[in-house]
Amino acid sequence: MTVTTYCRICSGLCGLVVEVDGDRVTSVRGDPAHPLSQGYTCTKGRHIGALHARPDRFRTAQRRTADGQLEPIATETALDEVAERLRAIAAEHGPDAIAMFVGTQASTGSLTYPFAKAWWRALGSSRQFSTMTIDQSAKWVTEARLGAWRGGRQRFADADVWLLAGTNPLVSLQGGDLTGVPIHNPARSLKAAQERGLKLIVVDPRRTETAARADVHLQIRPGTDAALYAGMLRLLFEEDLHDAAFCAEHADGVDALRRAVAPMTVERVAAVTGVAPGEIRRATRMFGAAAKGMAASGTGVDMGPFSNLAEHLLSCLNVVCGRFPRAGEPHAHPAVLRAPRPARAEVAPPDRSWLRGPKGRRGHGHLHGELPATTLPDEIAHDGPDRVRALVVVGGNPATCIPDQERTVDALRRLELLVTIEPFPNETAALADYVIAPALALERPDHTRSYEAYFDRPFAAYTDPVLPAPPGVIEDWAVFYELASRMDLTLRIGRRTYPPGVPRPPSEAVLEDLASTGRAPLDEVRAAPHGVVFDDLEPVPIEPAGDTAGRFDVLPADVAAELEEAWAHLSRGPDTGTADLTLVVRRIKATMNSLGVRAWDAPSQRVNPCSMHPDDLARLGLEEGQVVELASDHGRVAAVVAADRSLRPGVASLTHGFGDLPAGEDDPRETGTNPARLLSATEGLQAINAMPVMTAVPVRVRPMTPDAAVSR
Ligand SMILES: Nc1nc2c(c(=O)[nH]1)N[C@H]1C(S)=C(S)[C@@H](COP(=O)(O)OP(=O)(O)OC[C@H]3O[C@@H](n4cnc5c(=O)[nH]c(N)nc54)[C@H](O)[C@@H]3O)O[C@H]1N2
Ligand SMILES: Nc1nc2c(c(=O)[nH]1)N[C@H]1C(S)=C(S)[C@@H](COP(=O)(O)OP(=O)(O)OC[C@H]3O[C@@H](n4cnc5c(=O)[nH]c(N)nc54)[C@H](O)[C@@H]3O)O[C@H]1N2
Ligand code: SF4
Ligand SMILES: [Mo]
């Protein structure tokens, strides 16, 4: 049987044509009739059948027995027992004794996050964690200190210039409000935009797939982004390329910012960043002279040593150039199955939300209702009465992905109750008391409502389940529904309430509820196998400013102090100490964080090599394929080395999500390498969001004999 559906492994949601034989997918190809992806897929999507059929997949719930093994049990029984234990913990110690960790694959279904969050709110705990705080929470910090434009971002479709810093959307498909880049068939979209005149500037120490297409590629020394954007701001002011009228109307602190960046001349910034002065001028003038466009970043900026400052200064490029849509212009989000967002041409003032409300153990406040992921171990690993005793994980693998793996794993082992909703025996499941086995994407109905920020046209798609679900699995949203029901909690999502004791509605009905405030009829979407572009839907215009307009604060006191500190540090020049290389983050097409490793049986994709420039291999006397020890100030790991000319000399890169639990000896040729062991979760953290340094990490490299395993 041939069916059309769409992939849900990453935010691309590429259209797929799937051949199904019984409960198996026999082939997957891109759907050429899909209006956005137009036949594009990546290797992950083409292996989605293999993912569903993985022999080691949990096909029913699991419970840890007294001898430490997981045994299969009925999902209903697991839900009863988990609900009972959570209820008892909350009754005795209060709801704060229960924490939740939401990972990336919680976004693969439209219903998961709304129900997880609703359960969370009903429970009343203040301890929610997600991967955002080991990812790009610098954006939350920036919004809270600088302010945000209520009219959203500018649209790629009309733009003359786009600056992408530390992001590689051609591989990561990072789009939406994060980069604004249309990510469907991204190479094609980018080419079309450049053909109509868009100029692309990329800031990245690697000549990435995206950088290779840039009009200007600033191959920056890792960790020096803050200096670059400060220097660009200085030049924009000096050459009057900023939008003085917009600044006067909407921003405070502009003169102070101009004074603060005065020392950051192009020549000095060039010396710090390793980018030629002419290139900095060219990029700045290209950005400043354009009428429309945006500077946007990814993990490369937001994981670095001065990440909150770098993100703030990058965002200031947009503010001082007035790069926001004005009243009457169309909103960047098409709004099809969701209600149009209220959008005004005005500033939402900085709210410094982390200063209010309860604090975590290390003194951090909440950002978007969450505490920093690096502080989760602190909340668990102490003897006080207010400690976290139970943790519920959905769509995540905290035992692998949170920096300082040993510290995280030690804390997870101390929990009274660890429950993970997880299809595969990953590192977190290996520590869990209960694993609830979820239905995977092709076994669920779904629609595209939660992904509309990623569409550059008013698009919607609906899919029925393509495969029968194994009898023991349950959809993610339904886990939260069932837990709530058993714990006597009422779930509230928008205007809907789901009281306890009411039989669970079918997913199709809940999807319909969720789309009921949208602008397009769901029936029409359901009837269109490749999805529909609603070109007749009027664009949502940005409204004029109202009474509650605020002002951007481009240089609050804490940012000014960070700038001074960062410049004092960076302007001393590269300080690599005894390090041989600077290690940076990267993503590869074959995996989605820790998902995909071991999923498809290609040996080359089972390991994540540490790549470096061939000149560095020669300088360090290394050969491709050799096993080395990488040592940071925090930890050491073994890795296989590979040559990669796209890297700036002096820089090594290593993707994450590989490796195993720390167990004494690992062989990087078998399990790959977990860079989380090189990262500290307590030293060098950013203020406010406790974001660790995950890129631009100095490492020493020592060859090991080819057969040696890591000694720890
Ligand atoms: N195939 C695939 N796609 C994914 C994922 C995946 O694992 N695999 N993960 C998803 C997730 S969770 C996320 S958060 C997004 C992330 O999406 P992106 O942020 O686009 O991730 P990357 O592709 O790793 O791009 C980061 C870039 O930053 C550069 N970089 C490193 N250090 C520095 C620095 O100091 N300064 C600058 N300017 N650049 C630096 C790296 O060389 C790299 O090219 O991707 C998502 N998409
Ligand atoms: N060193 C280093 N560390 C990093 C990063 C880095 O660049 N370098 N990146 C960081 C970033 S940006 C992120 S977002 C985090 C990622 O951290 P996590 O989100 O914790 O890690 P993932 O591997 O994405 O975990 C997703 C889990 O969901 C499971 N899963 C798959 N499908 C489903 C489903 O349908 N339902 C459910 N319930 N589960 C499913 C997968 O098997 C997998 O175990 O890692 C961070 N850690
Ligand atoms: S880019 Fe790959 S993983 Fe992402 S949606 Fe498309 S096929 Fe799936
Ligand atoms: Mo992420």
Side-chain angles (χ1 to χ4, degrees):
M1 190 175 55
T2 308
V3 271
T4 41
T5 181
Y6 58 87
C7 180
R8 277 155 280 172
I9 295 176
C10 87
S11 34
L13 307 189
C14 300
L16 302 179
V17 179
V18 179
E19 298 293 336
V20 178
D21 181 9
D23 63 354
R24 295 265 147 166
V25 169
T26 54
S27 87
V28 178
R29 59 196 161 88
D31 177 4
H34 189 282
L36 300 186
S37 62
Q38 299 180 347
Y40 174 89
T41 55
C42 79
T43 171
K44 300 182 295 298
R46 290 191 298 274
H47 284 85
I48 197 168
L51 194 73
H52 286 65
R54 251 171 80 165
D56 60 349
R57 176 176 168 194
F58 295 123
R59 288 181 163 74
T60 184
Q62 311 283 316
R63 176 176 57 194
R64 181 91 40 206
T65 60
D67 66 358
Q69 302 301 308
L70 285 178
E71 65 173 5
I73 56 166
T75 295
E76 288 293 306
T77 315
L79 290 168
D80 289 343
E81 292 181 10
V82 166
E84 186 44 47
R85 288 185 62 181
L86 289 174
R87 193 204 255 280
I89 289 172
E92 192 176 343
H93 306 288
D96 274 353
I98 303 172
M100 176 163 79
F101 182 86
V102 182
T104 46
Q105 293 291 316
S107 325
T108 59
S110 283
L111 300 180
T112 310
Y113 194 70
F115 275 85
K117 190 85 189 178
W119 176 71
W120 190 247
R121 280 191 302 264
L123 186 68
S125 164
S126 67
R127 276 140 162 182
Q128 192 198 320
F129 301 83
S130 85
T131 48
M132 184 63 173
T133 47
I134 42 171
D135 184 342
Q136 294 166 66
S137 56
K139 295 184 168 61
W140 285 352
V141 173
T142 295
E143 216 178 85
R145 301 202 287 190
L146 173 67
W149 190 249
R150 289 200 174 112
R153 61 175 158 89
Q154 282 193 335
R155 304 189 317 162
F156 196 80
D158 311 318
D160 315 298
V161 71
W162 218 259
L163 184 154
L164 293 174
T167 178
N168 184 19
L170 255 53
V171 166
S172 66
L173 271 71
Q174 163 149 292
D177 288 334
L178 295 172
T179 67
V181 174
I183 50 164
H184 302 93
N185 203 341
R188 178 200 43 121
S189 308
L190 191 54
K191 187 158 181 267
Q194 287 179 302
E195 277 169 6
R196 68 155 173 79
L198 177 107
K199 297 284 179 227
L200 178 68
I201 304 166
V202 171
V203 185
D204 200 303
R206 219 191 113 219
R207 189 165 177 80
T208 59
E209 293 73 358
T210 310
R213 289 157 193 269
D215 296 279
V216 183
H217 173 204
L218 306 181
Q219 197 162 16
I220 193 170
R221 188 176 282 141
T224 65
D225 287 80
L228 177 65
Y229 312 130
M232 289 180 72
L233 285 165
R234 184 188 193 279
L235 193 60
L236 288 171
F237 288 132
E238 185 183 287
E239 299 195 348
D240 242 350
L241 289 167
H242 66 301
D243 183 339
F246 183 88
C247 290
E249 197 178 341
H250 296 290
D252 287 331
V254 177
D255 285 334
L257 178 64
R258 185 198 300 259
R259 286 192 299 276
V261 296
M264 291 100 194
T265 60
V266 169
E267 274 66 25
R268 284 181 180 161
V269 167
V272 169
T273 57
V275 178
E279 292 295 278
I280 298 176
R281 287 201 179 88
R282 199 151 82 88
T284 308
R285 288 172 187 154
M286 193 177 269
F287 187 80
K292 282 188 180 176
M294 178 182 179
S297 71
T299 52
V301 174
D302 289 355
M303 291 183 171
F306 302 100
S307 51
N308 288 343
L309 173 68
E311 182 65 39
H312 186 97
L313 295 173
L314 183 85
S315 302
C316 283
L317 294 175
N318 294 326
V319 172
V320 305
C321 292
R323 293 295 159 73
F324 300 100
R326 310 300 157 84
E329 286 186 52
H331 194 269
H333 295 178
V336 183
L337 294 179
R338 51 163 80 242
R341 291 161 201 250
R344 288 186 179 283
E346 64 181 32
V347 178
D351 70 353
R352 299 193 164 247
S353 64
W354 74 90
L355 296 173
R356 300 188 297 274
K359 299 285 178 290
R361 210 171 158 74
R362 259 152 66 186
H364 297 95
H366 286 72
L367 284 165
H368 284 240
E370 297 184 12
L371 289 173
T374 47
T375 68
L376 172 61
D378 302 282
E379 303 294 337
I380 300 168
H382 66 94
D383 296 325
D386 59 341
R387 69 178 180 273
V388 165
R389 294 158 195 266
L391 175 67
V392 177
V393 177
V394 58
N397 192 3
T400 286
C401 291
I402 299 182
D404 197 341
Q405 188 185 25
E406 282 178 325
R407 178 172 182 271
T408 312
V409 167
D410 278 348
L412 296 179
R413 287 190 204 280
R414 290 207 201 193
L415 287 163
E416 283 170 31
L417 179 65
L418 172 59
V419 181
T420 184
I421 310 171
E422 170 60 51
F424 301 114
N426 69 358
E427 293 72 14
T428 305
L431 306 170
D433 300 291
Y434 289 87
V435 181
I436 311 289
L440 290 181
L442 297 185
E443 297 154 358
R444 310 183 299 234
D446 215 337
H447 57 45
T448 51
R449 179 185 180 275
S450 32
Y451 281 88
E452 289 183 356
Y454 288 84
F455 303 150
D456 52 338
R457 296 164 68 192
F459 173 80
Y462 186 92
T463 179
D464 288 318
V466 167
L467 291 176
V473 304
I474 176 170
E475 288 187 34
D476 287 295
W477 76 270
V479 176
F480 294 101
Y481 187 100
E482 294 297 336
L483 287 178
S485 196
R486 285 163 170 77
M487 295 168 78
D488 259 332
L489 303 171
T490 295
L491 300 179
R492 292 192 169 77
I493 298 173
R495 280 167 296 156
R496 307 265 168 184
T497 56
Y498 300 90
V502 176
R504 190 170 88 229
S507 306
E508 287 80 357
V510 184
L511 285 166
E512 202 167 317
D513 274 1
L514 212 64
S516 62
T517 53
R519 296 197 297 158
L522 191 60
D523 284 342
E524 212 175 303
V525 181
R526 275 205 208 96
H530 313 284
V532 214
V533 176
F534 290 92
D535 273 329
D536 51 339
L537 272 182
E538 290 293 312
V540 180
I542 314 277
E543 306 280 325
D547 303 337
T548 58
R551 294 172 69 79
F552 287 116
D553 190 357
V554 294
L555 196 70
D558 45 2
V559 175
E562 284 168 28
L563 178 59
E564 215 166 292
E565 187 201 327
W567 184 248
H569 181 90
L570 292 171
S571 57
R572 283 200 296 268
D575 169 25
T576 41
T578 57
D580 300 303
L581 292 167
T582 308
L583 187 68
V584 300
V585 290
R586 86 183 289 172
R587 263 140 245 271
I588 55 170
K589 272 203 172 157
T591 61
M592 177 73 185
N593 301 320
S594 73
L595 177 67
V597 182
R598 292 166 243 135
W600 23 86
D601 205 22
S604 64
Q605 292 166 4
R606 276 200 220 123
V607 304
N608 53 337
C610 175
S611 311
M612 55 190 80
H613 195 277
D615 292 354
D616 286 319
L617 281 177
R619 174 172 63 90
L620 297 167
L622 302 173
E623 282 183 30
E624 249 199 313
Q626 191 170 352
V627 175
V628 297
E629 182 188 76
L630 301 175
S632 68
D633 286 346
H634 177 75
R636 50 194 69 231
V637 290
V640 179
V641 295
D644 183 350
R645 280 193 183 276
S646 68
L647 283 161
R648 183 189 160 96
V651 175
S653 86
L654 181 59
T655 195
H656 62 292
F658 287 69
D660 218 329
L661 282 177
E665 292 196 344
D666 313 297
D667 185 342
R669 289 161 303 188
E670 291 296 325
T671 58
T673 302
N674 190 342
R677 295 192 203 166
L678 294 171
L679 308 175
S680 173
T682 50
E683 308 267 311
L685 304 189
Q686 293 294 289
I688 305 170
N689 55 346
M691 178 67 188
V693 176
M694 299 166 68
T695 196
V697 178
V699 290
R700 295 175 297 283
V701 184
R702 183 174 68 83
M704 302 173 81
T705 55
D707 296 326
V710 198
S711 53
R712 327 194 86 249

